[in-house]
Amino acid sequence: MKIALALIVLIWPLPALAAECPKNQPKTQAALISQENTWADALSRKDADAVACLLADEFEDADVDGSLKSRAETLGHIPQRKPGVNHLSELRGHVEGDFGFTRGLATLVDASGKVIARVRFTDVFAYRDGRWQALAGHESLLSQASR
């Protein structure tokens, strides 16, 4: 019985760790833009495992309020997100060897379709282990006048 319980405890977290991360991604602007869309979709679904596949261990985000958030803090906040959808626009990707960055505009829309916020963002990526991983992010909240 103790062995069975120990095996259950050891096996229990495996599904969370077994999230299928992308492999063999091309080093292209289109791949970076695809990463951003995957990220936005995962946030809308509150899927922290999918976002974890996109973030490097040393990821750090400068949030709209100026606070810095580690990878763990970023992932920990996902389940508490308010319901809504991220609509991305004005996406541009740039690649230079094993590094790249994206810029875009995220329009956050609540369940009723009301725009909650518009956020200009920049994300920096490194190409590691056959995939793009986000190293850093920065968000700027657009003022009411520009919404």
Side-chain angles (χ1 to χ4, degrees):
M1 182 66 166
K2 286 182 182 180
I3 293 173
L5 184 57
L7 285 174
I8 289 171
V9 170
L10 288 174
I11 294 172
W12 183 265
L14 288 181
L17 297 174
E20 189 63 33
C21 295
K23 295 177 184 169
N24 302 317
Q25 292 179 313
K27 291 184 186 180
T28 63
Q29 294 172 359
L32 285 177
I33 290 171
S34 177
Q35 285 289 88
E36 288 295 350
N37 285 311
T38 297
W39 196 342
D41 291 344
L43 288 175
S44 296
R45 294 188 320 272
K46 298 183 183 185
D47 186 347
D49 289 340
V51 175
C53 282
L54 306 173
L55 305 183
D57 290 341
E58 70 272 28
F59 176 81
E60 191 170 57
D61 187 50
D63 208 346
V64 295
D65 63 3
S67 64
L68 294 176
K69 292 188 173 51
S70 69
R71 179 182 192 271
E73 291 167 325
T74 299
L75 293 173
H77 175 72
I78 292 172
Q80 286 79 41
R81 289 178 56 88
K82 293 180 182 175
V85 177
N86 292 296
H87 295 288
L88 301 184
S89 61
E90 301 179 26
L91 281 172
R92 292 188 305 268
H94 305 274
V95 174
E96 185 67 37
D98 288 339
F99 291 93
F101 70 91
T102 56
R103 283 206 175 106
L105 180 65
T107 302
L108 310 173
V109 180
D110 70 12
S112 71
K114 179 183 174 194
V115 173
I116 300 168
R118 290 177 36 142
V119 177
R120 176 82 53 205
F121 66 89
T122 301
D123 293 318
V124 179
F125 293 85
Y127 193 82
R128 296 178 179 159
D129 302 322
R131 62 190 174 101
W132 289 106
Q133 297 178 37
L135 299 173
H138 185 271
E139 287 88 31
S140 297
L141 184 63
L142 298 182
S143 68
Q144 283 291 83
S146 60
R147 289 186 194 176

